[in-house]
Amino acid sequence: MTYADFFYEIKGKFMGTDVSDIKEHLAFQFSIEDEEAGGCFYVEVKEGQLYVEPYEYYDRDANFISDPDTFLKIAEGKIDPVWAFTTQKLKVEGNIDKALRLKEIIDLKLEQKKAAEKESGKKASEKDGAKKAPEKDGAKKAPERDGTKKQAVKK
């Protein structure tokens, strides 16, 4: 996986997250240690908006250093960033208090994703329910043949 592939995959996982409740400015740099996908990008929360850009951020609050696989698992919510830090899969430089806010952003994204899936599942089931007409008296319609309709008799 190249750096560009990795960056756009990560960006896709972060973007769309509603961070309007986070009033504080947060700037995180992610340094990827990998021969193919190596590089850095930043995630910034500014004025209730989330930005993910493929640049180095010099005035950052924290720098997260790890391999691409660990970053992907963190972004997908498969591993907790605090656990990754304590098991030394993730290194953190800078303000640890602000670095812990990364977990908040990831948790927000996962909650919003679950809510969206639940809502889309609810809409799909409502659509399916609207397509099915209620059957009268338990009788079922027999398939049409030669343009005539036949109805099964309930025993």
Side-chain angles (χ1 to χ4, degrees):
M1 176 183 297
T2 67
Y3 168 78
D5 294 335
F6 177 76
F7 170 74
Y8 286 110
E9 186 170 348
I10 287 286
K11 184 173 183 169
K13 293 186 184 315
F14 276 105
M15 292 311 296
T17 304
D18 180 7
V19 294
S20 58
D21 290 341
I22 300 175
K23 303 300 180 199
E24 165 182 27
H25 178 263
L26 300 171
F28 304 128
Q29 179 172 304
F30 293 82
S31 299
I32 308 146
E33 293 183 334
D34 187 71
E35 282 188 32
E36 262 188 74
C40 61
F41 65 93
Y42 73 86
V43 174
E44 179 181 30
V45 176
K46 183 178 181 180
E47 298 174 1
Q49 296 282 357
L50 182 75
Y51 302 93
V52 181
E53 297 297 333
Y55 310 111
E56 205 168 326
Y57 199 102
Y58 294 105
D59 192 22
R60 60 189 172 255
D61 296 313
N63 183 21
F64 298 95
I65 305 160
S66 191
D67 61 275
D69 188 49
T70 301
F71 281 137
L72 278 174
K73 287 179 180 176
I74 289 171
E76 293 168 346
K78 292 182 179 177
I79 62 173
D80 185 326
V82 175
W83 179 85
F85 175 75
T86 57
T87 59
Q88 299 179 351
K89 291 183 178 282
L90 176 69
K91 295 179 225 161
V92 181
E93 297 173 348
N95 185 326
I96 297 297
D97 290 332
K98 286 198 174 190
L100 288 169
R101 303 290 305 268
L102 173 66
K103 181 171 173 28
E104 181 181 345
I105 295 169
I106 292 168
D107 289 346
L108 275 172
K109 178 63 177 173
L110 294 175
E111 287 171 19
Q112 292 165 10
K113 184 179 176 184
K114 284 180 187 177
E117 287 172 354
K118 186 177 179 181
E119 187 63 31
S120 68
K122 189 177 180 182
K123 285 181 183 178
S125 66
E126 286 173 0
K127 255 187 185 178
D128 289 345
K131 287 181 183 177
K132 294 180 183 177
E135 296 173 2
K136 295 181 182 177
D137 301 326
K140 295 182 181 177
K141 286 186 177 182
E144 289 185 35
R145 291 189 185 126
D146 302 327
T148 60
K149 293 183 181 180
K150 297 179 183 179
Q151 191 160 351
V153 179
K154 184 178 176 183
K155 291 184 180 182

